């Protein structure tokens, strides 16, 4: 894990490896430690240091001081390398290949530590031979020191150099990103507003009366008049009771 150095806020330190050795003496075994550290600012400056000490903190501190002495500037091109390059140290060799933006650093832990501290964001790598961490770090440093920009090569040769493969790759990536941003903005501008599922009905659907139409007004009760005053209906008149039929008078009897 990278950590900032106390005496410099811009420099970060990453411990690549810690080795332990033992020496047998008359009183027993005497332990000592060695540390391999990479120091850089992730903006084009990197250095590798190696130190030994009786303890781990002392070994790391010595290696950090050694790495700061070996700092050098790396020539980068928009987060990647200006051209393909090879580096070698003893039995280890490393090949660094430029990559398009968004690729990332495709490398092992040792090579990745050096490239990330140098500020490389997109790169392809391949290691050959020995995988000793010290030799791999030194091979990557050797490769980075052999990088040259197009302007430097043109000045050395005295000729004008056309755009390289890396320049074409970067321009294509920039054009692709511009088209993608344009397409995204158009899609957001034309996207319809989805109103389905925001109703009050069951299952997120609107009721029939809420689909843009007005709710039917209730008909006034027949007992209410226009003024809002209730009018009692008059009861139907009852039929008059029928008068009993008049009885016919009894006939008078005639006297003889």
């Amino acid at each position: 894990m990278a950590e900032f150095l106390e005496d410099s806020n811009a420099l970060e330190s990453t411990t690549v490896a810690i080795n332990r050795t033992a020496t047998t003496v008359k009183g027993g075994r005497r332990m000592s430690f060695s540390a391999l550290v990479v120091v850089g600012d992730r903006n084009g400056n990197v250095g590798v240091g190696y130190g030994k000490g009786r303890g781990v903190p002392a070994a790391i501190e010595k290696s950090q001081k050694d790495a700061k002495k070996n700092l050098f500037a790396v020539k980068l091109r928009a987060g990647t390398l200006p051209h393909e390059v090879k580096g070698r140290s003893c039995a280890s060799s490393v090949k660094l290949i430029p990559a398009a933006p968004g690729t990332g650093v495709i490398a092992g832990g040792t090579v990745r530590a050096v490239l990330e501290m140098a500020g490389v964001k997109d790169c392809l790598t391949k290691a050959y031979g020995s995988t000793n961490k010290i030799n791999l770090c030194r091979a990557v440093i050797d490769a980075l020191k052999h990088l040259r920009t197009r302007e430097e090569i043109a000045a050395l040769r005295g000729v004008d150099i056309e755009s390289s493969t890396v320049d074409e790759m970067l321009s294509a990536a920039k054009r692709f990103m511009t088209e993608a941003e344009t397409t995204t903005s158009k899609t957001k501008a034309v996207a319809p507003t989805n109103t389905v599922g925001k109703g009050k009905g069951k299952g997120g659907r609107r009721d029939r009366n809420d689909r843009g139409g007005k709710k039917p007004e209730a008909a006034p009760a027949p007992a209410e008049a226009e003024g809002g005053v209730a009018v009692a209906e008059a009861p139907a008149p009852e039929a008059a009771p029928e008068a009993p039929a008049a009885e016919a008078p009894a006939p008078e009897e005639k006297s003889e």
Side-chain angles (χ1 to χ4, degrees):
M1 182 178 179
E3 59 180 1
F4 287 96
L5 298 180
E6 296 180 358
D7 56 346
S8 178
N9 296 329
L11 293 178
E12 297 182 37
S13 172
T14 300
T15 303
V16 178
I18 295 177
N19 300 321
R20 187 186 67 177
T21 58
T23 302
T24 303
V25 295
K26 185 177 180 180
R29 301 178 66 186
R30 182 179 299 172
M31 298 293 178
S32 63
F33 299 88
S34 63
L36 178 65
V37 173
V38 181
V39 173
D41 60 354
R42 299 181 186 268
N43 194 24
N45 296 311
V46 67
V48 176
Y50 183 76
K52 299 179 182 180
R54 296 296 298 273
V56 175
I60 293 177
E61 185 178 356
K62 286 183 179 181
S63 58
Q64 288 176 349
K65 291 180 180 179
D66 184 48
K68 286 191 291 184
K69 294 178 183 178
N70 300 326
L71 281 173
F72 70 98
V74 182
K75 301 177 179 64
L76 302 178
R77 173 76 170 132
T80 188
L81 307 178
H83 56 84
E84 183 178 323
V85 67
K86 293 182 180 179
R88 183 172 181 176
S89 176
C90 297
S92 301
S93 59
V94 176
K95 183 178 182 181
L96 306 180
I97 305 172
T103 304
V105 179
I106 309 301
T110 305
V111 180
R112 177 190 296 272
V114 181
L115 294 178
E116 288 183 348
M117 285 297 163
V120 180
K121 299 179 181 179
D122 306 293
C123 182
L124 303 175
T125 64
K126 179 62 179 177
Y128 302 95
S130 174
T131 57
N132 183 274
K133 293 184 178 181
I134 299 176
N135 290 336
L136 279 178
C137 285
R138 291 175 178 173
V140 176
I141 294 297
D142 180 62
L144 294 177
K145 287 183 177 179
H146 283 84
L147 291 175
R148 298 289 183 272
T149 61
R150 185 176 61 179
E151 291 76 11
E152 292 178 350
I153 297 175
L156 291 173
R157 297 181 181 179
V159 296
D160 293 335
I161 300 177
E162 299 179 356
S163 60
S164 61
T165 307
V166 178
D167 296 333
E168 295 177 358
M169 182 170 53
L170 294 175
S171 61
K174 185 177 181 180
R175 185 168 58 254
F176 174 77
M177 293 298 294
T178 305
E179 294 177 356
E181 291 177 358
T182 305
T183 306
T184 305
S185 60
K186 289 182 179 180
T187 305
K188 290 182 179 180
V190 183
T193 304
N194 188 8
T195 57
V196 178
K198 297 182 180 180
K200 302 179 181 180
K202 186 177 180 181
R205 296 181 179 179
R206 292 177 179 269
D207 296 336
R208 291 184 177 181
N209 297 332
D210 296 340
R211 295 180 180 177
K214 295 182 180 180
K215 294 184 179 180
E217 298 179 358
E224 296 181 0
E226 295 180 356
V229 181
V231 178
E233 295 182 356
E238 297 180 358
E242 295 180 359
E247 296 181 357
E252 298 179 357
E253 293 181 359
K254 294 179 179 183
S255 59
E256 292 180 355

